[in-house]
Amino acid sequence: MRRSGTRGARRRELEWLAASALLAVTSGCSSGNPAGAPAPGNPAAAELPYASAVVSFEPGDEAGFGEDAFPDVVLGPPHGGGEQAGSLDVLSLGKGGSIVLGFEPYAIVDGAGADFVVFENAFWPGGDPTAVFAEPGEVSVSEDGEEWRAFPCDAKGDGAGHFTGCAGITPTEKYDAKSLLPLEPALSGGDAFDLADLGLTRVRFVKIRDRSNAGATPTAGFDLDAIGIATAERSDEEP
């Protein structure tokens, strides 16, 4: 885990450790799918334009938090706590860990402005965005799940709360996912991405890779809450 300021780091570490003690965390995925194997989709999650299935999960070192609720913990809308409260409804990827999610029956298409949003549990201690508790993650996208394009991610940051191109930086707000359609990053929070920045028009998969390389067992690395689509196209509809 990483933050650009100095206040509150120990407090949040203790809060994570206390919360994790209440969970039965294992070294593998307790859903019955071995780490890295495809996990079944969640029909309920597919009702809204959010991630509906885990294609693969490769946990890094010192992962484990959230695996008792895997894969549902990363499917469907996020559970934001606002600017000063990070959610515990997350999956810790571990140091250098990665995860790939699909969105059937939706695809992400290039539209005006942001096309999809990645939700982590970043927060602003004392309401100060320059002191953000950030766990940067690199975001890649693919149409076929084989060829990937990554958004450039400045995981070191500038020391003032900015980690250009990374996910895991902007707090997730509390909002009604059924009412906020299409998804609006200004109201939902989270980190927004535009396919036009990569010269792409359509993708079906998103990969998150931890770039923080920080934290302790079992909460190390990027903590994924959800991924939502702002400009969605149903893949099961006739053109």
Side-chain angles (χ1 to χ4, degrees), residues 54-74:
V54 175
V55 178
S56 65
F57 172 39
E58 298 180 6
D61 291 342
E62 301 182 80
F65 190 91
E67 288 185 2
D68 64 319
F70 182 86
D72 289 350
V73 67
V74 295

Side-chain angles (χ1 to χ4, degrees), residues 9-37:
R10 181 57 178 164
R11 181 186 67 183
R12 189 179 190 226
E13 180 181 3
L14 290 173
E15 289 174 349
W16 273 113
L17 292 174
S20 65
L22 300 176
L23 300 174
V25 179
T26 65
S27 60
C29 301
S30 61
S31 63
N33 297 82

Side-chain angles (χ1 to χ4, degrees), residues 97-180:
S98 65
I99 190 168
V100 176
L101 295 101
F103 301 84
E104 290 293 339
Y106 297 97
I108 304 170
V109 295
D110 184 38
D115 300 314
F116 68 97
V117 183
V118 179
F119 299 97
E120 208 249 5
N121 64 351
F123 69 97
W124 298 340
D128 182 1
T130 67
V132 60
F133 199 114
E135 298 158 312
E138 177 190 76
V139 178
S140 303
V141 293
S142 175
E143 170 64 20
D144 59 8
E146 298 292 335
E147 182 177 350
W148 294 90
R149 295 282 300 278
F151 290 87
C153 166
D154 176 15
K156 293 183 179 180
D158 63 359
H162 304 114
F163 299 78
T164 303
C166 302
I169 313 305
T170 306
T172 300
E173 302 292 348
K174 297 178 181 179
Y175 70 96
D176 182 355
K178 292 182 179 180
S179 298
L180 192 60

Side-chain angles (χ1 to χ4, degrees), residues 110-111 113-115 141 149-152 165 192-201:
D110 184 38
D115 300 314
V141 293
R149 295 282 300 278
F151 290 87
F193 294 84
D194 188 345
L195 294 182
D197 292 340
L198 298 179
L200 300 175
T201 59

